[in-house]
Amino acid sequence: MKLCIAMVGLPAMGKSTIALKLKEFLVSEGLNTEIFNNGDVRRQTVPESNSPEFYNPKNKEASKIRRKIADINIEKAKNYDGDVVIIDATNVGRPRRKIIEKSFEHVLFIECVNKDEDLIDTSILQKIKHTEFRNDPDAFINFKKRIGYYKKIYNPLKDEKNYIVLDSLNNLILKEKGEVLHYENIRDILVSNWLKNLYLVRHEETFFNQQDRIGGDSKLTKEGINKSKDISKYFEKKEIPFIFTSTKKRTIEMANILASKNTQIIKLPEFDEINSGICEEMSYQEIKTKYPEIYYERKKDKYNFIYPEGESYDTLRLRVAKGLKKAMYIVGDYRDIMIIGHRAVNRVILSHFLYRKKSEVPYIYMPQDKYYHIISTHKKKLLELKEFKQD
Ligand code: F6P
């Protein structure tokens, strides 16, 4: 008995990432699974189809071609001799979905929604790196236009027999109806956070570190630069496609040293170090002398203490969680990623994947000469503190 999973949603909603995640899991469960992507068929048959007008529903000629592409893809999926087919396409209109329902006995629709405009824009910027947009200087605007055209024919899932509506940024199921083969597995995969390999690195030594000063935007010292160069040799063979940093010079400087020519460096303000408010750029000794009440109050409850005009670990946690979601959405198929962060930020990231009591989080060991290797998939959870030395 064959199951057809049909993705539904506007472009840049994370459909392909979910499709890949589902395929990998179902295959690991011994189910022969294949993804059938309308975009692949389109690029093969109509290579010049990246103009937004190709998606204008009023463009009768193009609509016909797009329908044909969808039919070819459905036909290919029908002919697949396996257990599960995943149709990765927008499928935003009810008529197309009716055809899918007629073509397979068991169908589950998965609609991906995400309302975070900022993130959608970041995701579009990733998409237009694809070679098909190579010669289009207005690729970003055009891609948004394409989305606009899809919105005109969008019918959310409602009348279909089996479906799941997923908030694809937060891995939350918003609505579900019916039940199909392998439903429990599929549902579980949709809501779980997957991270294949995260290398969590703290930036190397800065001038402020030397002076025991906190916060600020200090650069790496000569020693910090040299150590970063050594670390870059260690990661040389790992081919890391994405390095996320904060917007601070020290993490960006180190990322530039570690990046290979295929690495994308993405700066996220969500990964900026804890804001120590009126204590920014001071040393712990200076804080103790000038603001003893701050110094001692923080010691009493480090997790909840909010620096005047700044943050606490607790508020930082929310900001960092948003950054992590963004990072995972951007990397899509959850490949190897690195985050070069700060002491407090990295503590919070680590506690996101490994449960720690809140009161313990501000004391997690976060050295500059080692890194944490984190794996968090459905089948494997790993957290290892490692040295920058070949095994
Ligand atoms: O000293 C480096 C630093 O990253 C500071 O910028 C930051 O305020 C501090 O560590 C966070 O560590 P703690 O919460 O232990 O003071």
Side-chain angles (χ1 to χ4, degrees):
M1 244 191 313
K2 188 152 85 183
L3 169 67
C4 168
I5 299 175
M7 307 305 296
V8 174
L10 296 171
M13 288 292 136
K15 298 184 299 296
S16 298
T17 304
I18 307 265
L20 283 164
K21 199 168 150 184
L22 283 170
K23 177 181 167 183
E24 184 169 333
F25 181 72
L26 294 168
V27 168
S28 78
E29 289 290 288
L31 296 164
N32 290 322
T33 305
E34 203 44 83
I35 297 175
F36 295 85
N37 183 297
N38 278 18
D40 289 343
V41 179
R42 174 176 57 76
R43 280 181 284 271
Q44 278 157 17
T45 45
V46 206
E48 66 290 351
S49 55
N50 61 346
S51 146
E53 288 318 305
F54 185 74
Y55 302 89
N56 185 346
K58 287 196 178 132
N59 182 345
K60 295 280 172 268
E61 195 51 38
S63 299
K64 231 161 105 192
I65 300 173
R66 285 192 294 114
R67 214 171 308 129
K68 179 117 190 279
I69 290 167
D71 290 344
I72 294 174
N73 207 29
I74 291 172
E75 207 46 43
K76 279 169 93 179
K78 266 166 69 177
N79 293 334
Y80 175 68
D81 183 23
D83 305 299
V84 184
V85 294
I86 304 175
I87 299 189
D88 184 12
T90 55
N91 297 324
V92 290
R94 177 74 187 124
R96 171 81 59 80
R97 298 200 293 260
K98 272 191 182 156
I99 299 174
I100 296 176
E101 279 183 323
K102 277 201 194 115
S103 307
F104 300 89
E105 199 187 333
H106 304 278
V107 182
L108 172 68
F109 291 99
I110 300 179
E111 180 178 357
C112 296
V113 293
N114 168 19
K115 300 218 158 55
D116 188 323
E117 288 297 331
D118 192 25
L119 207 54
I120 294 170
D121 285 356
T122 319
S123 175
I124 295 174
L125 287 171
Q126 291 298 321
K127 283 191 173 291
I128 59 175
K129 288 192 176 127
H130 198 285
T131 44
E132 70 172 310
F133 300 101
R134 204 178 26 207
N135 300 320
D136 182 2
D138 297 321
F140 183 79
I141 299 168
N142 285 339
F143 202 93
K144 288 209 119 179
K145 256 196 201 160
R146 182 195 294 197
I147 295 181
Y149 283 139
Y150 274 115
K151 280 186 184 163
K152 288 188 195 293
I153 54 158
Y154 196 117
N155 315 117
L157 293 171
K158 187 167 147 285
D159 299 323
E160 287 70 13
K161 191 169 158 220
N162 308 305
Y163 67 79
I164 291 177
V165 181
L166 180 77
D167 169 345
S168 50
L169 173 59
N170 296 301
N171 297 356
L172 281 176
I173 291 187
L174 304 174
K175 248 171 145 184
E176 57 192 315
K177 185 178 152 195
E179 224 170 274
V180 287
L181 298 164
H182 321 299
Y183 193 74
E184 260 186 43
N185 279 349
I186 293 167
R187 198 189 183 285
D188 200 17
I189 290 301
L190 295 179
V191 295
S192 60
N193 260 329
W194 275 36
L195 196 62
K196 275 275 180 69
N197 278 308
L198 166 63
Y199 303 106
L200 183 64
V201 177
R202 192 178 156 203
H203 65 78
E204 267 301 331
E205 186 195 67
T206 65
F207 291 100
F208 268 26
N209 288 151
Q210 269 184 342
Q211 299 158 16
D212 203 25
R213 289 186 187 282
I214 64 172
D217 198 8
S218 176
K219 295 184 83 173
L220 298 179
T221 60
K222 187 100 192 90
E223 175 73 6
I225 293 175
N226 287 338
K227 285 252 179 70
S228 305
K229 286 182 183 162
D230 290 344
I231 296 172
S232 87
K233 286 195 198 111
Y234 171 80
F235 282 109
E236 217 164 35
K237 292 206 183 78
K238 297 209 191 299
E239 276 297 324
I240 297 166
F242 291 96
I243 299 183
F244 290 90
T245 68
S246 69
T247 61
K248 302 293 173 188
K249 291 190 190 107
R250 51 199 187 274
T251 59
I252 299 168
E253 222 183 329
M254 186 160 169
N256 281 323
I257 298 173
L258 264 61
S260 67
K261 69 174 193 315
N262 297 322
T263 307
Q264 278 190 62
I265 299 175
I266 299 178
K267 304 166 195 111
L268 297 180
E270 286 84 357
F271 292 155
D272 283 355
E273 181 55 310
I274 189 168
N275 178 352
S276 41
I278 60 169
C279 297
E280 275 286 300
E281 307 202 353
M282 291 172 79
S283 71
Y284 289 108
Q285 192 52 47
E286 281 168 358
I287 300 172
K288 195 173 173 185
T289 315
K290 195 169 172 198
Y291 301 121
E293 65 293 352
I294 292 184
Y295 186 83
Y296 290 108
E297 277 303 306
R298 189 164 193 257
K299 271 202 176 317
K300 264 198 240 157
D301 183 0
K302 197 172 169 190
Y303 185 81
N304 289 304
F305 178 82
I306 307 174
Y307 277 108
E309 295 172 32
E311 292 175 301
S312 67
Y313 269 88
D314 197 42
T315 55
L316 175 68
R317 185 177 55 90
L318 300 176
R319 167 159 76 76
V320 168
K322 182 149 190 252
L324 282 171
K325 277 178 199 156
K326 265 193 183 180
M328 289 192 235
Y329 195 84
I330 294 168
V331 297
D333 52 353
Y334 54 90
R335 290 170 289 176
D336 299 3
I337 63 167
M338 177 183 283
I339 297 177
I340 303 181
H342 304 264
R343 179 155 65 184
V345 164
N346 285 12
R347 284 174 173 155
V348 170
I349 293 176
L350 198 112
S351 66
H352 183 93
F353 293 103
L354 178 82
Y355 174 75
R356 295 293 296 254
K357 260 195 264 163
K358 284 183 174 175
S359 58
E360 295 303 327
V361 174
Y363 299 98
I364 295 175
Y365 181 47
M366 198 51 69
Q368 280 169 312
D369 61 348
K370 296 187 183 71
Y371 72 97
Y372 283 96
H373 181 197
I374 302 171
I375 298 176
S376 178
T377 67
H378 196 69
K379 294 195 166 175
K380 187 171 178 180
K381 301 269 179 242
L382 174 125
L383 191 134
E384 200 177 351
L385 179 63
K386 292 178 90 168
E387 292 188 29
F388 298 109
K389 276 190 198 150
Q390 306 299 344
D391 300 324

